[in-house]
Each structure stands twice: as C-alpha cells, then as structure tokens.
Amino acid sequence: MANTFIDEDFLLRSVTARELYHGIAKKLPIIDYHCHLDPRMVAEDHKFRSITELWLGGDHYKWRAMRANGVAERYVTGDASDWEKFEKWAETVPYAMRNPLYHWTHLELKTAFGIETLLNPRTAREIFDQCNDQLANDPGMTARGLMRRYNVEVVCTTDDPTDSLEWHKKVAESGFECKVLPTWRPDKAMAVENAASFRTYVERLEVASGKTISNFADFADALQNRHDYFASLGCKLSDHGLEEFYAEEFSDVETAEIFNKVYGGKELSASEIRTFKSAMLYLFGVQDAEAGWAQQYHYGAMRNNNTKMFNLIGPDTGYDSIGECNTAAAMAKHLDRLNSAGKLGKTIIYNLNPSANEVIATMIGNFQDGTLAGKIQWGAGWWFLDQKDGMEKQMNALSLQGLLSRFVGMLTDSRSFVSYPRHEYFRRTLCNMIGRDVEKGELPFEGYEAERIRQMVADICYNNAKGYFNF
C-alpha cells in the first residue's frame, strides 16, 4: 500500500503554502544547532548493521509508544533480536495514528530509503529487508552519507566540559563538508546534590584541564580553561538542562564556602544547593557572553520518574515528563542580573510546559537591547512539544508577542541520523501557517510584502540561525 497521504504537498493546504515550501523552504540546507549525535559515529562514518540500530537504538520516543502498546521491555531495550524489536515497532505504528511518530516514521522511510509503503505488521518483513539491503549495499547509507542526503550544513552536538572532543577534531581533520561542532553542557559542574558524585566530577575536570583544584577559584579557572578549549574547536553555544531557573542571592565568600563543604564530602542543605546553582548559572552566563557564544536554557523536565526502570536500564530511556514549575520570577532575576552587569549575551530559552508559552514570549522582550536583531530568542517547540501542534502554538505566541521573522527556527534534539525530516515537518508547518494567513486575507502577498514573506520563510528556515550563531 503506497504512502499516498505523505505526498509532495503533505501538510500544505493552500496554493501560497505550496509556493513557499517548494519554492523556498525545501531547498535550503539544514543547520541543526542542537542535537545529541555521537561525533564518533560521524568521524568513523559509521555503517549501521540494521534499520533497528539506526531507527530504534536510543529513540525513547518510540520506546514510550511501544510500552504504551503493551510491548515487553525485552523488545524495547532488552536482548531481543533486531528483527523482533522491529516487528514490535511495526505492530505499534498503526496504533500511533495522530501521534507525530506516525508522520515521522513514514517521512523517514520515504526520505531516507525511498520506501512509500505504510509500516504495519503485514509489511514489516518487506520493509525490514529493504532497509537492511540498502544499509548493507548502498555506500551512501552511512552516518556521513545520511547527513549529505539531507543537505546538512552544520550540527552542534552536546558535550560535557571534561570531554576530550577528539572525535570532533577527527571530523574537522577529515575534510568532511558538514561542520560538526561541540556544545558546552556544564550541568554536572553545578550538580551538587550528591557530594561524592560532585567530588568525582571535579577530579575529572582536574585531569581534563590539567589544573589542580583545591578551592572555588581553582574550579572556576579550570572551567574557563575548558571553555577556551571548546572555543578553539569552533564551539559557539552552551546548553543548560534545568528543572527550573536559580537566582538566589550569593556572594563570592558564600560560594567558596559551599564549594569547600561539598568538595570535602559534606552534603548540602536545600538552600545551599540553590545558592550554589545560582552562582554557577551566573558564572556560565558571564563566560559565554565574554566568548560571544549563545547560551541555551532547556527547562521544565521531570526526569527519571520511574525508579524501578532507572535502576534497571538507567537514565534517558523514556521515563521523563513535563514538570510544573513556576520559575518566571527566577528566570527574570537571573537574566536581569547578567544584563545589569553587561554580561547578558545571546540567549535562547526553551520551555517544556506549554502553559509557559506566553510567559517566554513576553519574557524575551524584556531583554532585547537593539544590539542584535532577535538577541534573546524563544526556542522551537522542545521534546514533547516538537510536533505540529506544539510548533504552531509556539510560533503563534511568538508572532503575537514578538517578531516571528527573527526566529532562529528548528533543530532535531535527536540522537538519530534519520531525524532530519523533523526540519521538513517544521518547514511544511511554517509555510502552511503563513499560507493560511495569506489565503484568509490576513497577510498581503504582492509586491514588496510578498518578497518580505518569502524572505521571512528563508530566514526562519536557514538564514537567521546561520547569522545568529556566526556559522
């Protein structure tokens, strides 16, 4: 059965939408400025053993759907064979109608493998064999080949300050035409909830930086050393995964005392933890501003909620959810603290709870300073919100409270080399939204204004990100 519902005009419900997508958005390269790809796989041009490894390995979106469909963990993250896992996913797909996974699954099959057959239990073996045959015999079906296929220009991975970045260096030295750049993710440097774990991390930082750490000043110096190292390899962004923002009052003396306490093996009080995190967020912001980087804040996730499964298979396995956190006041205070010191650089804020959409849409307007168009950004729909409904709500709220035209657009936030159709999905959604406004007579589409709209589409899909991050 042919995949006729995802044709060339999928999601494009007007003449204007089709013109904008096919004439402008479709042909633009992809800048994927936030992802979780393994740079080693790019450096080694990894060849995938099967569609299961490529498609189901590490994909907690699919894992959650399979569990909800009654699939036993053995077929999700366990020791079942590649075919058995794929078969269980194929059995789940027909039950995923109206979940974005249904669209993504068929977009990925079509764009990566040229397969337009709908995936279900009856077609599973045929599709499994077709995909595996291409992966085995088509030299373009490797990590780098897939990036070329999707016209990827830049990807930014997510990396701890202690990472050697050896695989990023090897990619750069290889002459691969797609830039694979690191992103500074220093979450562990402020994770003082467990004294022993924090001490272990500081010791790792000591080794990575080559600097002895005996107090907070040494700690900050070692982080700066690694920050400079990341910059030397093309890093342009930081990223921070937060449950909430932290903006407690702190002093240099107090921060140093808290560091000495936790580094010495003593557990901190809840107040001390928040104070230290506040000091670290400020330090990170200063470092980023001085380097000319963009700082990203992903906030609002409740992680690893299922203790039983965390103990069995670890973190990042599909047991996270949207949190309820009233953090607007702390967010404003943190940004204002940096701004008052002249250290608020380019900033992107991503919320996971859609109830905060208008909060963020209005928050970013507080700190635009006229030095750079769109300096403070509201990031694209993230995680549970990176689907058609979430994208539309984010862009509608941004349009009402800010300037959609200055938006830096989509990213995959993915570990998969076939997740790039999420950019296509976003671009189709964007063009359909704008086309709908034109067809309803709510936007002009002639003369200068038509050119402005065409330029807006190109900017959101590609140009804004390229300029904002100085790629």
Side-chain angles (χ1 to χ4, degrees):
M1 180 177 172
N3 180 1
T4 54
F5 84 100
I6 296 187
D7 59 12
E8 66 175 10
D9 293 332
F10 176 60
L11 300 184
L12 305 173
R13 301 298 178 224
S14 68
V15 172
T16 307
R18 292 190 282 273
E19 177 192 331
L20 293 173
Y21 179 73
H22 293 298
I24 298 169
K26 181 179 179 179
K27 61 188 177 183
L28 293 168
I30 286 174
I31 292 177
D32 199 30
Y33 57 88
H34 176 68
C35 74
H36 298 273
L37 290 183
D38 182 351
R40 179 173 184 169
M41 296 177 81
V42 182
E44 297 180 340
D45 198 15
H46 183 76
K47 188 176 178 68
F48 301 91
R49 71 173 184 270
S50 74
I51 179 62
T52 305
E53 180 197 6
L54 173 62
W55 223 22
L56 295 175
D59 192 337
H60 52 81
Y61 290 82
K62 293 187 179 77
W63 296 351
R64 286 171 68 95
M66 292 168 74
R67 292 171 186 137
N69 201 42
V71 175
E73 195 64 29
R74 176 172 178 262
Y75 302 99
V76 181
T77 62
D79 62 359
S81 68
D82 281 3
W83 160 244
E84 289 173 313
K85 290 180 177 179
F86 185 86
E87 183 180 34
K88 291 298 183 183
W89 170 239
E91 292 172 1
T92 299
V93 168
Y95 290 90
M97 288 184 181
R98 301 203 81 244
N99 185 298
L101 284 166
Y102 194 80
H103 285 164
W104 294 347
T105 291
H106 294 106
L107 272 173
E108 290 168 12
L109 284 175
K110 182 173 183 176
T111 57
F113 296 95
I115 293 174
E116 298 192 38
T117 303
L118 296 176
L119 181 60
N120 58 51
R122 297 176 184 175
T123 62
R125 188 77 224 191
E126 172 193 354
I127 291 175
F128 183 76
D129 291 341
Q130 286 182 23
C131 290
N132 288 345
D133 179 69
Q134 290 187 47
L135 289 170
N137 299 304
D138 184 341
M141 296 299 287
T142 61
R144 292 190 186 192
L146 288 165
M147 295 171 80
R148 293 188 183 102
R149 178 182 294 255
Y150 287 109
N151 195 19
V152 180
E153 186 173 292
V154 181
V155 297
C156 297
T157 59
T158 306
D159 311 280
D160 186 86
T162 63
D163 195 299
S164 70
L165 305 184
E166 60 180 304
W167 300 110
H168 294 84
K169 288 190 283 188
K170 289 182 178 179
V171 172
E173 291 165 359
S174 73
F176 181 43
E177 59 271 26
C178 175
K179 291 182 179 179
V180 179
L181 305 177
T183 296
W184 175 262
R185 179 73 174 250
D187 294 355
K188 292 179 181 178
M190 57 186 279
V192 289
E193 295 86 349
N194 182 288
S197 296
F198 182 71
R199 173 75 183 232
T200 298
Y201 182 75
V202 174
E203 290 169 353
R204 284 174 50 200
L205 179 62
E206 229 178 6
V207 172
S209 65
K211 293 182 173 293
T212 301
I213 300 174
S214 58
N215 53 45
F216 183 75
D218 294 340
F219 181 58
D221 187 49
L223 286 169
Q224 185 64 60
N225 173 276
R226 299 303 294 169
H227 200 277
D228 294 342
Y229 176 66
F230 271 57
S232 74
L233 292 178
C235 182
K236 307 278 189 183
L237 300 93
S238 71
D239 183 52
H240 308 271
L242 308 170
E243 286 194 16
E244 58 182 301
F245 277 80
Y246 302 94
E248 307 297 322
E249 297 298 326
F250 63 87
S251 67
D252 292 344
V253 171
E254 189 175 13
T255 304
E257 289 175 348
I258 294 172
F259 177 87
N260 289 340
K261 180 177 178 179
V262 69
Y263 186 59
K266 296 180 180 178
E267 298 299 333
L268 302 179
S269 68
S271 175
E272 288 170 327
I273 290 170
R274 295 185 66 84
T275 298
F276 190 80
K277 287 179 181 290
S278 300
M280 292 307 299
L281 273 188
Y282 180 77
L283 173 64
F284 296 148
V286 170
Q287 290 177 334
D288 291 348
E290 291 179 347
W293 292 2
Q295 57 182 350
Q296 300 174 95
Y297 296 104
H298 286 85
Y299 86 93
M302 290 179 61
R303 299 178 186 271
N304 307 314
N305 296 283
N306 189 322
T307 303
K308 175 183 175 181
M309 295 309 295
F310 177 82
N311 292 334
L312 283 173
I313 58 178
D316 304 321
T317 50
Y319 295 97
D320 310 309
S321 58
I322 294 172
E324 296 177 333
C325 55
N326 180 12
T327 194
M331 183 193 312
K333 186 175 180 180
H334 170 63
L335 297 175
D336 188 56
R337 179 178 280 161
L338 288 169
N339 190 58
S340 296
K343 299 296 183 181
L344 180 59
K346 293 178 286 189
T347 302
I348 308 176
I349 303 170
Y350 307 82
N351 59 295
L352 193 55
N353 193 322
S355 68
N357 280 358
E358 281 72 20
V359 172
I360 308 302
T362 54
M363 182 70 71
I364 65 173
N366 295 333
F367 299 100
Q368 308 288 12
D369 60 12
T371 61
L372 174 69
K375 177 182 173 181
I376 313 299
Q377 290 274 331
W378 177 18
W382 169 46
W383 201 340
F384 298 111
L385 306 182
D386 67 347
Q387 26 70 14
K388 183 174 177 289
D389 182 64
M391 293 173 189
E392 289 181 341
K393 287 178 178 176
Q394 187 266 351
M395 288 190 282
N396 278 329
L398 178 58
S399 299
L400 293 172
Q401 305 295 341
L403 299 179
L404 179 65
S405 298
R406 295 299 188 180
F407 179 34
V408 293
M410 190 56 177
L411 48 103
T412 64
D413 192 25
S414 173
R415 293 166 174 80
S416 171
F417 286 87
V418 288
S419 63
Y420 297 111
R422 293 185 194 178
H423 283 264
E424 176 180 339
Y425 204 64
F426 169 84
R427 291 174 180 185
R428 287 177 180 271
T429 299
L430 169 68
C431 292
N432 190 60
M433 285 181 60
I434 296 172
R436 182 172 60 230
D437 287 350
V438 169
E439 299 290 329
K440 289 165 62 179
E442 295 178 4
L443 286 176
F445 198 65
E446 57 185 3
Y448 175 84
E449 282 68 28
E451 290 306 308
R452 173 87 289 279
I453 286 175
R454 294 186 183 99
Q455 186 64 53
M456 176 171 66
V457 169
D459 289 345
I460 295 170
C461 293
Y462 175 74
N463 296 323
N464 287 347
K466 183 158 186 156
Y468 188 78
F469 301 115
N470 296 320
F471 292 141

